[in-house]
């Protein structure tokens, strides 16, 4: 049996209707920006495997750091114990995060990083004997698949089976160009009419919504409104973190600092699942008490896994090299050039770029659903051409590894142009 045949016998894939979906492609190896399937076909990974591999596949520098850690201490429980790799990760992150971030809490993926933040926000006010039970989020947000993270997400087909079971979440419009004031007024109205604990947002780019982008100044205003009403601000940087937007964190563009930041995906260079939620000292202090019931009773078996910490340290080292920063700038310039070329195409509605993120919206005669016919046609076309891209409805985006070559990028651009002409 082939790997694909064995897969269909045993495995259940994410975001997949197995009755109608095509069989998955069995990948046998990867190197740099490339993947090869079990038949030897080559693919360019133009989305860094769901945004986690900024330094490419089989990165030797990260692999060596992992191997060294594995031969020293692969794992130890984090309840009542600590270790140097976790402390070093904290030190390195707090050097590059907004200055108000003082404490870090480890978990294991983006959803749990968000779950921790939302639980902390709700318990923060509970510990202060204040009734604050509402979370504010953007329309069409995506924050993960655990229950609180899913409740904060606004893409309906992820959540429709669970309506009526969630924490209280109220949504406001994204402050895209021309709709900033509408978003500001909506936030003020929600705060006035609900007992709001926190506002969670994807800073500057809504990933799963199709790379919807908005300006730092608008986000700064929203955060300032929250601060004026003692509503905690949670920046979900799971997708945007570690260079994707052209700066280390999307919040580096924003003049107002959040109270919490959620990190995962590129944190370990796509090697080992790990996540971190960071907090201000003020948030931490609300849990620091003689009363044990005010502690944060949340944890994961692999919390602060030393091997994952070693991968994170190696990833931060790579990100801060002159070579990697130059690569990010090179890809950004390349995207901007392609945007200028493609945005006036007769079949293109809009095109946009931020950092290494590029998105193009293709004109459609109907409201194109997330997994609709155009998306399927585009996806199949890209796979046939040996390019891994996952369109969101009629929106095609690129979020490549930073080590992708100009030749590989040009092939991705050319394939997208061919796809636009084809639909």
């Amino acid at each position: 049996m082939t790997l694909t045949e064995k897969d269909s016998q045993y495995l259940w894939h994410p975001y997949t209707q197995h009755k109608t979906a095509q069989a998955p492609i069995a990948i046998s190896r990867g190197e740099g920006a490339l993947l090869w399937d079990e038949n030897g076909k080559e693919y360019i990974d133009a989305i860094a495997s769901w945004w986690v591999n900024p330094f490419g596949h089989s990165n030797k520098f990260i692999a060596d750091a992992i191997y060294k850690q594995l031969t020293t201490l692969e794992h130890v429980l984090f309840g009542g114990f600590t270790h140097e790799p976790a402390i070093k990760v904290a030190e390195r992150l707090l050097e590059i995060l907004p200055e108000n971030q003082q404490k870090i809490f480890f978990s294991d993926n983006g959803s749990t990083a968000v779950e921790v933040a939302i639980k902390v926000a709700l318990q923060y006010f509970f510990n202060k004997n204040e009734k604050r039970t509402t979370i504010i989020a953007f329309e069409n947000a995506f924050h993960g698949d655990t229950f609180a993270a899913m409740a904060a997400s606004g893409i309906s087909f992820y959540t429709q089976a669970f309506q009526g079971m969630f924490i209280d979440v109220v949504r406001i419009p994204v402050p895209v160009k021309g709709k900033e004031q509408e978003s500001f007024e909506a936030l003020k109205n929600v705060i006035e009419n609900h007992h709001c604990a926190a506002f969670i947002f994807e800073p500057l780019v809504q990933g799963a919504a199709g790379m919807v982008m908005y300006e730092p100044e608008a986000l700064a205003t929203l955060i300032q409104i929250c601060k004026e009403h003692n509503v905690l601000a949670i920046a979900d940087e799971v997708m945007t973190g570690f260079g994707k937007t052209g700066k280390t964190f999307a919040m580096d563009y924003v003049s107002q600092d959040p109270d919490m930041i959620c990190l995962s995906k590129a944190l370990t260079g796509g090697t080992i699942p790990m996540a971190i939620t960071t907090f201000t000292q003020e948030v931490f202090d609300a849990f620091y008490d003689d009363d044990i019931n005010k502690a944060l009773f949340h944890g994961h078996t692999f919390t602060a896994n030393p091997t994952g910490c070693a991968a994170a340290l190696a990833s931060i080292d790579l990100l801060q090299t002159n070579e990697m920063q130059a690569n990010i700038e090179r890809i950004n310039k390349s995207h901007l050039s392609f945007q200028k070329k493609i945005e006036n195409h007769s079949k293109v509605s809009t095109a946009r770029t931020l950092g290494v993120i590029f998105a193009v919206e293709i004109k459609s005669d109907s409201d194109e659903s997330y997994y609709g016919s155009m998306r399927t046609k585009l996806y199949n076309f890209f796979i046939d051409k040996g390019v891994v891209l996952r369109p969101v409805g009629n929106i095609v985006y690129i979020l490549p590894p930073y080590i992708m070559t100009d030749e590989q990028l040009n092939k991705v651009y050319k394939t997208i142009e061919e796809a636009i002409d084809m639909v």
Side-chain angles (χ1 to χ4, degrees):
M1 293 174 70
T2 65
L3 291 177
T4 298
E5 289 169 339
K6 289 181 179 180
D7 176 283
S8 66
Q9 185 173 348
Y10 304 124
L11 301 182
W12 192 343
H13 286 262
Y15 310 121
T16 300
Q17 174 48 264
H18 281 265
K19 186 171 184 179
T20 57
Q22 291 179 304
I25 298 163
I27 298 299
S28 59
R29 67 186 181 95
E31 183 177 345
L34 300 176
L35 297 166
W36 288 268
D37 68 18
E38 62 180 332
N39 300 312
K41 182 176 177 177
E42 180 182 283
Y43 302 84
I44 298 175
D45 186 355
I47 58 169
S49 286
W50 266 340
W51 324 332
V52 304
N53 287 89
F55 314 113
H57 297 280
S58 304
N59 185 284
K60 190 174 186 303
F61 184 77
I62 301 176
D64 287 345
I66 290 171
Y67 174 76
K68 183 179 179 181
Q69 185 60 49
L70 280 172
T71 58
T72 306
L73 176 66
E74 77 300 330
H75 183 66
V76 65
L77 71 162
F78 211 55
F81 294 86
T82 192
H83 51 79
E84 187 177 28
I87 293 166
K88 283 186 173 180
V89 168
E91 289 175 336
R92 294 293 299 281
L93 279 176
L94 294 178
E95 286 174 356
I96 58 178
L97 284 164
E99 288 185 0
N100 70 335
Q101 301 300 298
Q102 296 294 318
K103 297 289 183 181
I104 79 167
F105 190 97
F106 286 93
S107 59
D108 54 12
N109 63 63
S111 295
T112 54
V114 169
E115 198 81 9
V116 169
I118 292 176
K119 286 178 70 174
V120 165
L122 295 171
Q123 189 177 340
Y124 173 86
F125 289 104
F126 177 84
N127 284 359
K128 290 175 171 289
N129 296 313
E130 290 186 46
K131 184 182 179 181
R132 300 279 193 111
T133 55
T134 298
I135 302 296
I136 307 164
F138 280 139
E139 295 169 354
N140 293 321
F142 181 78
H143 295 289
D145 293 325
T146 53
F147 247 74
M150 184 169 54
S153 300
I155 301 172
S156 62
F157 60 83
Y158 285 110
T159 62
Q160 60 188 11
F162 310 101
Q163 294 302 315
M165 307 177 198
F166 290 140
I167 59 173
D168 184 28
V169 176
V170 180
R171 306 197 181 283
I172 64 171
V174 182
V176 295
K177 190 173 182 179
K179 295 188 176 181
E180 295 91 344
Q181 197 61 39
E182 180 183 344
S183 183
F184 303 157
E185 294 304 319
L187 177 60
K188 292 175 186 177
N189 184 62
V190 171
I191 292 173
E192 184 178 340
N193 291 286
H194 296 79
H195 299 292
C196 297
F199 166 44
I200 186 168
F201 52 87
E202 299 160 90
L204 307 191
V205 188
Q206 285 190 300
M211 302 302 166
V212 174
M213 299 179 186
Y214 60 100
E215 295 301 315
E217 295 77 14
L219 181 54
T221 299
L222 292 171
I223 295 173
Q224 180 59 36
I225 293 168
C226 288
K227 289 183 184 297
E228 291 169 0
H229 295 86
N230 195 27
V231 173
L232 299 173
I234 304 170
D236 179 357
E237 292 245 22
V238 169
M239 187 275 283
T240 54
F242 303 101
K244 309 272 186 30
T245 63
K247 294 193 177 186
T248 303
F249 300 106
M251 290 306 300
D252 291 339
Y253 288 96
V254 184
S255 61
Q256 295 285 341
D257 293 334
D259 300 286
M260 311 179 210
I261 301 176
C262 305
L263 304 170
S264 190
K265 290 196 182 290
L267 172 64
T268 63
T271 55
I272 293 175
M274 177 171 278
I276 283 172
T277 311
T278 72
F279 306 93
T280 63
Q281 187 68 40
E282 182 182 354
V283 171
F284 176 81
D285 286 345
F287 294 75
Y288 190 78
D289 199 278
D290 291 328
D291 183 356
I292 192 170
N293 292 310
K294 289 189 175 181
L296 176 61
F297 284 100
H298 185 102
H300 300 266
T301 303
F302 286 94
T303 292
N305 172 259
T307 314
C309 289
L313 288 167
S315 295
I316 294 170
D317 284 342
L318 280 174
L319 178 63
Q320 294 181 327
T321 61
N322 291 335
E323 178 184 4
M324 211 57 65
Q325 291 298 311
N327 281 346
I328 291 170
E329 186 176 349
R330 170 180 58 84
I331 292 171
N332 173 255
K333 288 179 179 178
S334 185
H335 281 351
L336 288 170
S337 178
F338 181 56
Q339 176 182 331
K340 189 174 182 180
K341 178 182 180 182
I342 202 73
E343 61 189 355
N344 293 320
H345 191 290
S346 61
K347 293 185 178 180
V348 168
S349 295
T350 60
R352 49 192 175 269
T353 298
L354 181 64
V356 303
I357 304 168
F358 168 85
V360 57
E361 186 171 348
I362 302 170
K363 290 179 180 177
S364 175
D365 293 333
S366 59
D367 290 335
E368 189 62 31
S369 65
Y370 202 93
Y371 284 106
S373 59
M374 180 183 285
R375 182 265 176 200
T376 301
K377 186 176 182 180
L378 288 166
Y379 176 77
N380 292 338
F381 180 84
F382 295 138
I383 290 297
D384 183 62
K385 295 289 185 177
V387 177
V388 179
L389 291 166
R390 288 179 63 88
V392 178
N394 61 326
I395 298 168
V396 179
Y397 71 86
I398 310 169
L399 207 165
Y402 307 155
I403 47 77
M404 183 174 282
T405 66
D406 289 335
E407 181 182 0
Q408 291 165 342
L409 263 177
N410 287 332
K411 179 178 177 180
V412 175
Y413 296 149
K414 183 174 183 291
T415 304
I416 291 175
E417 286 187 86
E418 291 173 354
I420 292 171
D421 289 334
M422 175 267 301
V423 295

